[in-house]
Amino acid sequence: MYKKSAQGWLKHWDFILMDVICLQAAFVIACLLRLGAGNPYSNPLYRNQAVVLVFCQIFVAFFGQTFRDILRRGHYVEFLKTVKHVCAVMLLDMSYMFITQSSGSYSRMTFFITGAFYFVLAYAQREFWKSFLVKKGKAASGKRSMVVITVSHMARQVLESLDVNPYDGFAVTGIALLDKNMIGEYIRGVPVVGDKENIEDYVCRGWVDEVFLALPDEMEYPRRKIVDDFILMGVTVHLTLTGIEKVRAGKQHVEKMGNYTVITTSINMTTTKQLLWKRLMDIAGGLIGCLLTVVLFLFVAPAIYIKSPGPIFFSQVRIGKNGRKFKIYKFRSMYMDAEERKQELMKQNKVKDGFMFKMDYDPRIIGSEKKDKNGNPKGIGNFIRKTSIDEFPQFWNVLKGDMSLVGTRPPTLDEWEKYALHHRARMAIKPGITGMWQVSGRSEITDFEEVVRLDTQYIENWTIGLDIKILCKTVLAVLHNDGAM
């Protein structure tokens, strides 16, 4: 799933935080120059004004999108943007004072001095921080991983064109040449990772967020097929306008990348504001979930350790959005040798082809040898799995940003290796603690193709409202002990 307005204000939280600090520093300087020594925050009127300024600054940053494309702007454009931002913040603050009738008690000179110093400090920190990111090579951190697909005689030119601005929202992590095999070699410091024979498999198995196609018009290679295959995987495709053909259905828009004008196609597209609300919901849910995890730990940890001495938490490397690897955390509900015993139990796997692992009465679960009068296992491991208590440590993954509250189930490394092209589409978003297929009345589903269909349906139709609906269904399912998470 592709994020439109990728250079939005949420992406540049470091600039916003420093801007808030600059505003408060300007406020303190103005108070000291006008009112003399002393703590301006000790005065209720000025303390309230300091808080209001912060809210004004965040309001302007969010609704005015004043930090959008900040890393691409030159010195003069940044100067004008800073002037507009500061004026908007101060005008909003002035409106507040007029409405609350507090302007008469507040020093007008302090107000204007604050605005002046705010501009100087804000402009200076923006220019300094951008320069620092370039020198330290940090402008590429956290960017989208992009693979370029072209031919050998165009490779260097394409990479140079994409590298005209070091602040763009992508980092070229590999290049594939469709006319010759140069795998293992480097072009302008970028590794050649594929050729005509294996590029689709590389994208399917590796961490690739997007692909950029720049192919000559006369090339006979079936451009449409390769584009369709990538879209089928859920990978965002950028195709130069000279190579536009009718491709598989998807959300499309035209944008500028380096020196190229491209048409971008993705399974779905979201705005910065939409992702902001989803991330805020994740942070709020993550904080609450982490607090509940601490409380549950006090009761669950002794029960686990008494029955199966060892670590209380279980961690495992999983596959996240577009192939990123991350470590997932759970309360340990299985014996210590569970992973070693998995292979001998694969014959009892209810999900064909091994894309997921499900079986009735898993003997690796702690206490599963204890049965109730109906012969069903009733150990501590079965209890925490049935009530989804084992999932609570994943709220830490949500808080870190590896996962979301709602998404798709993250596969293990061995499951990921078995994925066909269309299976990869379910990993076009962050994995979630819960998701569409878990709450569709089919949490015991054994057909992986149905899982892929439901997950893809969720991605294609995603809205904040859909997330809220799924979360509500999840809570109801857990309360009824269905273990839908």
Side-chain angles (χ1 to χ4, degrees), residues 313-337:
F313 295 103
F314 168 77
S315 65
Q316 186 182 49
V317 175
R318 294 287 185 96
I319 300 298
K321 180 180 178 181
N322 289 326
R324 286 182 176 91
K325 295 179 181 179
F326 73 101
K327 187 172 287 188
I328 197 174
Y329 298 96
K330 294 185 176 185
F331 279 123
R332 183 168 62 88
S333 61
M334 294 188 174
Y335 290 111
M336 295 295 294
D337 61 347

Side-chain angles (χ1 to χ4, degrees), residues 355-373:
F355 290 112
M356 297 169 64
F357 185 83
K358 280 182 175 289
M359 67 172 291
D360 296 324
Y361 311 125
D362 193 334
R364 302 173 300 160
I365 297 176
I366 298 173
S368 59
E369 63 277 4
K370 185 178 180 180
K371 304 290 194 295
D372 61 18
K373 61 181 182 180

Side-chain angles (χ1 to χ4, degrees), residues 96-109:
Y96 167 81
M97 287 192 293
F98 176 78
I99 294 172
T100 59
Q101 298 182 348
S102 59
S103 57
S105 304
Y106 189 80
S107 170
R108 291 176 176 78
M109 187 57 66

Side-chain angles (χ1 to χ4, degrees), residues 45-332:
L45 174 64
Y46 284 82
R47 182 171 61 246
N48 178 66
Q49 179 66 4
V51 173
V52 170
L53 281 170
V54 173
F55 279 105
C56 290
Q57 191 270 346
I58 295 176
F59 182 89
V60 172
F62 178 70
F63 289 100
Q65 291 285 302
T66 53
F67 288 90
R68 181 179 178 181
D69 295 323
I70 186 172
L71 291 176
R72 302 185 185 191
R73 302 197 292 240
H75 302 301
Y76 177 68
V77 174
E78 192 61 64
F79 179 89
L80 296 179
K81 291 286 187 180
T82 307
V83 170
K84 292 180 180 179
H85 175 82
V86 171
C87 289
V89 171
M90 302 311 292
L91 285 173
L92 191 61
D93 181 52
M94 183 185 297
S95 301
Y96 167 81
M97 287 192 293
F98 176 78
I99 294 172
T100 59
Q101 298 182 348
S102 59
S103 57
S105 304
Y106 189 80
S107 170
R108 291 176 176 78
M109 187 57 66
T110 301
F111 175 85
F112 289 113
I113 294 176
T114 298
F117 274 96
Y118 178 33
F119 165 76
V120 172
L121 294 175
Y123 180 71
Q125 72 87 7
R126 293 182 189 190
E127 290 297 298
F128 168 79
W129 191 242
K130 287 194 291 186
S131 175
F132 173 79
L133 290 177
V134 174
K135 291 180 180 179
K136 295 298 181 181
K138 295 185 178 181
S141 63
K143 288 186 174 182
R144 309 186 304 271
S145 170
M146 189 171 75
V147 169
V148 172
I149 299 176
T150 185
V151 291
S152 55
H153 71 272
M154 293 176 60
R156 185 170 294 276
Q157 175 189 347
V158 172
L159 291 177
E160 288 175 353
S161 298
L162 290 174
D163 198 35
V164 294
N165 194 319
Y167 302 117
D168 280 315
F170 59 84
V172 178
T173 57
I175 186 169
L177 304 177
L178 300 185
D179 60 335
K180 64 172 60 176
N181 186 341
M182 293 176 58
I183 297 175
E185 300 183 35
Y186 287 79
I187 301 176
R188 295 192 81 248
V190 177
V192 179
V193 298
D195 58 14
K196 181 171 63 175
E197 303 300 326
N198 71 354
I199 183 56
E200 291 181 358
D201 188 66
Y202 175 85
V203 173
C204 183
R205 302 286 186 272
W207 167 27
V208 180
D209 294 306
E210 305 169 18
V211 294
F212 182 96
L213 275 84
L215 302 174
D217 294 336
E218 67 276 7
M219 188 171 186
E220 297 181 358
Y221 185 79
R223 181 188 290 110
R224 177 177 176 180
K225 178 184 180 301
I226 194 171
V227 172
D228 282 350
D229 286 344
F230 289 140
I231 296 173
L232 182 66
M233 292 186 221
V235 177
T236 297
V237 178
H238 306 284
L239 184 63
T240 55
L241 290 180
T242 56
I244 290 180
E245 302 177 27
K246 183 179 180 181
V247 296
R248 179 180 294 271
K251 303 293 179 63
Q252 298 181 332
H253 77 281
V254 177
E255 64 178 331
K256 189 80 173 177
M257 298 189 71
N259 288 332
Y260 291 100
T261 299
V262 300
I263 183 167
T264 296
T265 306
S266 179
I267 188 171
N268 199 355
M269 294 188 180
T270 58
T271 65
T272 301
K273 290 182 181 179
Q274 286 177 312
L275 289 185
L276 168 64
W277 289 116
K278 185 173 177 67
R279 183 58 186 149
L280 289 177
M281 190 165 65
D282 285 344
I283 292 173
L287 288 171
I288 295 172
C290 285
L291 292 175
L292 291 175
T293 302
V294 172
V295 175
L296 289 170
F297 178 86
L298 301 177
F299 300 95
V300 174
I304 294 175
Y305 190 82
I306 290 172
K307 189 64 179 175
S308 175
I312 304 303
F313 295 103
F314 168 77
S315 65
Q316 186 182 49
V317 175
R318 294 287 185 96
I319 300 298
K321 180 180 178 181
N322 289 326
R324 286 182 176 91
K325 295 179 181 179
F326 73 101
K327 187 172 287 188
I328 197 174
Y329 298 96
K330 294 185 176 185
F331 279 123
R332 183 168 62 88

